């Protein structure tokens, strides 16, 4: 655990905990679905990941950095291993077999903060398919997340007052490749991959059409962590008055990852 900021009286500040995992040396063998394989410069990927960690700390997160999993190429993308809510954490069963062993160490870590539930066979779901908007969970219907898992999530969360809505996704890996939260009721959406009408009642910002991967932002403490790779959409976000913190994760993008994928945020 990295040192947590203290206030002037030396007391611990109340903050979010961000769970991260170091980039695996085997990341070059990652799963890829919608993009072509390119060489990944591991040193650059690790340096970018450290910048991401520093940015989270500067925004008030206490970071728990797990060691790399050398034999699990995609293990840096911890978002897919769990859905963390105030009441409990659901450990996922990732959609591709190569990623299933990633959940064991995440469960041990999350057990410090939350009661745990587990998605069981034959359910499969990736955390990247789950968008939590208050007491509503939008879950993407993708190759990674099936109806059995969605039923299990619904069964776990209905008694806690959550509504679960499924959302068709076309052309990208996860729901959160196509839509993320930029504010409590504000969504950043790529309408080519997901129908904005599915999120009724919420305000929408559409990505610039030239930047198809630009819909993934990480909302944190009222600002958003956002990839430097999408200047046109960033301009739209700033024009809406959003506090945008740039990050360059271009090497991890070659593994089909983005800004939400690299952390699990636990409100503590
Ligand atoms: C995969 O295909 O599973 C990884 N290469 C990328 C996962 C990115 N995770 C995410 O969008 N939540």
């Amino acid at each position: 655990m990295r040192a947590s900021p203290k206030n002037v009286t030396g007391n611990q500040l109340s903050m979010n905990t961000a769970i991260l995992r170091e980039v695996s040396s085997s990341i070059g063998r990652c799963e890829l679905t919608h993009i072509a394989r390119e060489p990944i410069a591991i040193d650059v990927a690790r340096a970018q990941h450290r910048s991401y960690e520093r940015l989270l700390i500067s925004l008030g997160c206490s970071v728990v950095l797990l060691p790399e999993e050398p034999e699990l190429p995609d293990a840096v993308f911890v978002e897919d291993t769990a859905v963390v809510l105030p009441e409990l954490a659901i450990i996922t069963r990732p959609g591709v077999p190569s990623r299933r062993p990633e959940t064991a160490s995440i469960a041990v870590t999350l057990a410090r903060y939350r009661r745990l539930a587990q998605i069981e066979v034959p359910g499969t779901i990736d955390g990247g398919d789950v968008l939590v908007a208050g007491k509503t969970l939008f879950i993407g219907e993708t190759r990674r997340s099936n109806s059995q898992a969605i039923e299990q999530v619904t069964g776990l969360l209905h008694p806690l007052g959550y509504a679960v809505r499924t959302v068709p996704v076309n052309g990208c890996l996860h729901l959160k490749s196509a839509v993320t939260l930029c504010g409590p009721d504000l969504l950043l959406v790529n309408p080519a991959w997901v129908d904005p009408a599915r999120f009724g009642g919420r305000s929408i910002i559409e990505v610039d059409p030239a930047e198809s991967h630009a819909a993934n932002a990480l909302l944190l403490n009222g600002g958003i962590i956002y990839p430097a790779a999408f200047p046109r959409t960033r301009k739209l976000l700033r024009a809406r008055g959003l506090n945008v913190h740039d990050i360059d994760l271009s090497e991890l993008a070659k593994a089909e990852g983005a800004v939400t994928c690299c952390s699990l945020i636990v409100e503590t």
Side-chain angles (χ1 to χ4, degrees), residues 25-62:
S25 36
S26 56
I27 191 168
R29 290 190 270 116
C30 65
E31 299 283 343
L32 289 178
T33 309
H34 292 278
I35 62 174
R37 196 168 296 278
E38 287 180 68
I40 296 177
I42 184 80
D43 292 349
V44 178
R46 287 188 169 138
Q48 291 178 348
H49 191 255
R50 278 193 295 276
S51 299
Y52 177 82
E53 180 193 359
R54 280 197 296 273
L55 181 54
L56 286 168
I57 292 170
S58 76
L59 294 174
C61 286
S62 170

Side-chain angles (χ1 to χ4, degrees), residues 186 188-189 205-209 211 214 224 226 230-242 244:
L186 179 61
L188 177 60
V189 179
I205 301 175
E206 294 191 1
V207 300
D208 184 285
E211 296 177 338
I224 56 169
Y226 193 69
F230 307 118
R232 291 165 181 248
T233 305
R234 184 183 49 199
K235 212 169 170 183
L236 300 174
L237 295 166
R238 290 219 163 108
R240 289 287 281 263
L242 292 170
V244 182

Side-chain angles (χ1 to χ4, degrees), residues 28-259:
R29 290 190 270 116
C30 65
E31 299 283 343
L32 289 178
T33 309
H34 292 278
I35 62 174
R37 196 168 296 278
E38 287 180 68
I40 296 177
I42 184 80
D43 292 349
V44 178
R46 287 188 169 138
Q48 291 178 348
H49 191 255
R50 278 193 295 276
S51 299
Y52 177 82
E53 180 193 359
R54 280 197 296 273
L55 181 54
L56 286 168
I57 292 170
S58 76
L59 294 174
C61 286
S62 170
V63 168
V64 175
L65 181 65
L66 301 178
E68 73 160 305
E69 291 272 12
E71 296 307 319
L72 301 178
D74 283 305
V76 64
F77 302 123
V78 290
E79 171 181 54
D80 294 317
T81 61
V83 177
V84 184
L85 298 167
E87 301 86 349
L88 88 170
I90 302 175
I91 306 300
T92 64
R93 186 166 175 268
V96 283
S98 71
R99 299 204 57 192
R100 292 191 189 139
E102 294 175 25
T103 58
S105 55
I106 294 292
V108 170
T109 307
L110 279 172
R112 288 192 231 149
Y113 305 95
R114 293 289 189 273
R115 171 169 77 83
L116 300 186
Q118 170 77 57
I119 297 299
E120 307 287 353
V121 177
T124 67
I125 189 165
D126 284 6
D129 275 326
V130 183
L131 176 66
V132 181
K135 290 293 244 186
T136 303
L137 266 74
F138 295 98
I139 305 187
E141 295 173 311
T142 66
R143 288 194 212 173
R144 299 287 177 93
S145 299
N146 66 18
S147 58
Q148 290 95 331
I150 294 171
E151 275 168 29
Q152 291 177 37
V153 171
T154 307
L156 288 164
L157 296 186
H158 190 71
L160 299 173
Y162 287 87
V164 172
R165 299 207 189 132
T166 55
V167 184
V169 177
N170 288 299
C172 60
L173 180 60
H174 287 130
L175 176 66
K176 279 191 275 187
S177 318
V179 54
T180 50
L181 275 182
C182 282
D185 271 317
L186 179 61
L187 294 170
L188 177 60
V189 179
N190 178 346
W193 289 344
V194 80
D195 178 3
R198 290 273 173 171
F199 307 97
R202 292 170 177 83
S203 304
I204 302 277
I205 301 175
E206 294 191 1
V207 300
D208 184 285
E211 296 177 338
S212 55
H213 288 88
N216 187 269
L218 176 58
L219 176 64
L220 197 65
N221 289 345
I224 56 169
I225 296 182
Y226 193 69
F230 307 118
R232 291 165 181 248
T233 305
R234 184 183 49 199
K235 212 169 170 183
L236 300 174
L237 295 166
R238 290 219 163 108
R240 289 287 281 263
L242 292 170
N243 190 8
V244 182
H245 307 283
D246 294 338
I247 185 79
D248 181 1
L249 290 182
S250 52
E251 253 357 78
L252 293 170
K254 293 178 185 171
E256 223 167 343
V259 290

